[in-house]
């Protein structure tokens, strides 16, 4: 949602307005309808909503990614991607266009980006694909003002050891330093 967006499922005649500055509102001016049950928003967002830990679409996308990396494009990959796209009312994958491992990899990455938006997967995806340095850019709001300066450092590819592990094993301190932490 963005300012002026109607959402009659929320309330008849409702239009989203942005309270700049964040708080309990978006800092960018864009908000998600995804995973919001309008039945519970009527009571000041005081509803017992369930949030999925993993969705079937994520399982299918993980399969498509792994299978493509293992053996390249095949009918089973296109079938699972088409299942996801069909559910969303999207056209089937054009197999003639995405007919190599590299092209299909890029397609699957974009599908994950869109399908799993705001579900907490993107950070781990961009690290796994080693594209974080290219996509982690400063975030701007709808007035083109910077909201969050993002700088990617190569050490972020590897997570640091937990402090409890470092405290329990002094030999890990050198390995931690070698990672850049």
């Amino acid at each position: 949602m963005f300012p002026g967006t109607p959402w009659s499922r929320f309330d008849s005649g409702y239009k989203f307005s942005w309270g700049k500055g964040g708080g309990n509102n978006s800092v960018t001016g864009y908000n998600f309808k995804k995973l919001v049950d309008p039945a519970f928003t009527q009571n000041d967002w005081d509803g017992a909503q369930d949030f999925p830990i993993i969705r079937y679409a994520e399982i299918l996308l993980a399969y498509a990614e792994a299978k493509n990396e293992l053996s390249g494009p095949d009918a089973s990959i296109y079938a699972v991607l088409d299942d996801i796209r069909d559910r969303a009312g999207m056209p089937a994958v054009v197999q003639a266009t995405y007919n190599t491992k590299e092209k299909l990899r890029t397609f699957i990455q974009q599908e994950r980006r869109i399908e799993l938006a705001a579900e907490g997967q993107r950070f781990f995806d961009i690290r796994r694909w080693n594209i974080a340095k290219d996509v982690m850019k400063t975030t701007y709001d709808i007035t083109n003002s910077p909201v969050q300066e993002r700088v990617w450092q190569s050490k972020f590819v590897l997570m640091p050891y937990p402090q409890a592990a470092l405290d329990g094993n002094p030999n890990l301190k050198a390995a931690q330093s070698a990672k850049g932490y």
Side-chain angles (χ1 to χ4, degrees):
M1 291 189 299
F2 52 88
T5 303
W7 192 22
S8 58
R9 281 193 61 212
F10 173 69
D11 199 3
S12 180
Y14 172 81
K15 289 189 188 238
F16 174 70
S17 63
W18 179 43
K20 187 172 182 170
N24 200 19
N25 204 328
S26 166
V27 295
T28 62
Y30 298 100
N31 277 17
F32 283 97
K33 293 185 209 177
K34 186 176 189 175
L35 301 177
V36 175
D37 184 349
F40 289 112
T41 60
Q42 298 296 326
N43 298 319
D44 295 327
W45 304 89
D46 193 21
Q49 291 183 271
D50 294 323
F51 294 95
I53 295 172
I54 190 167
R55 293 192 302 119
Y56 185 54
E58 183 180 352
I59 293 168
L60 295 177
L61 286 165
Y63 170 81
E65 181 181 347
K67 181 80 165 144
N68 184 53
E69 292 303 319
L70 178 67
S71 58
D74 72 19
S76 69
I77 296 172
Y78 295 121
V80 297
L81 292 172
D82 288 344
D83 284 348
I84 296 167
R85 294 176 66 79
D86 182 56
R87 177 199 46 88
M90 299 291 294
V93 178
V94 180
Q95 296 181 23
T97 303
Y98 302 101
N99 57 0
T100 68
K101 182 187 280 192
E102 293 73 24
K103 289 177 183 177
L104 192 55
R105 176 186 301 131
T106 302
F107 183 84
I108 292 168
Q109 289 174 352
Q110 178 66 5
E111 289 294 294
R112 284 188 64 85
R113 179 177 178 227
I114 301 301
E115 179 66 33
L116 303 175
E119 293 184 26
Q121 303 299 323
R122 182 78 174 151
F123 178 73
F124 299 101
D125 285 348
I126 64 176
R127 287 174 63 225
R128 181 176 71 251
W129 299 327
N130 201 23
I131 62 169
K133 63 187 172 303
D134 302 320
V135 298
M136 288 291 288
K137 306 291 183 193
T138 298
T139 304
Y140 295 87
D141 66 19
I142 59 175
T143 65
N144 209 26
S145 300
V147 174
Q148 183 183 53
E149 181 73 30
R150 294 181 177 175
V151 178
W152 183 262
Q153 298 176 32
S154 59
K155 71 179 181 181
F156 295 157
V157 172
L158 301 173
M159 299 291 277
Y161 296 117
Q163 187 62 49
L166 292 170
D167 293 343
N169 184 350
N171 295 329
L172 287 179
K173 290 181 181 172
Q176 181 88 309
S177 295
K179 287 202 257 184
Y181 289 100

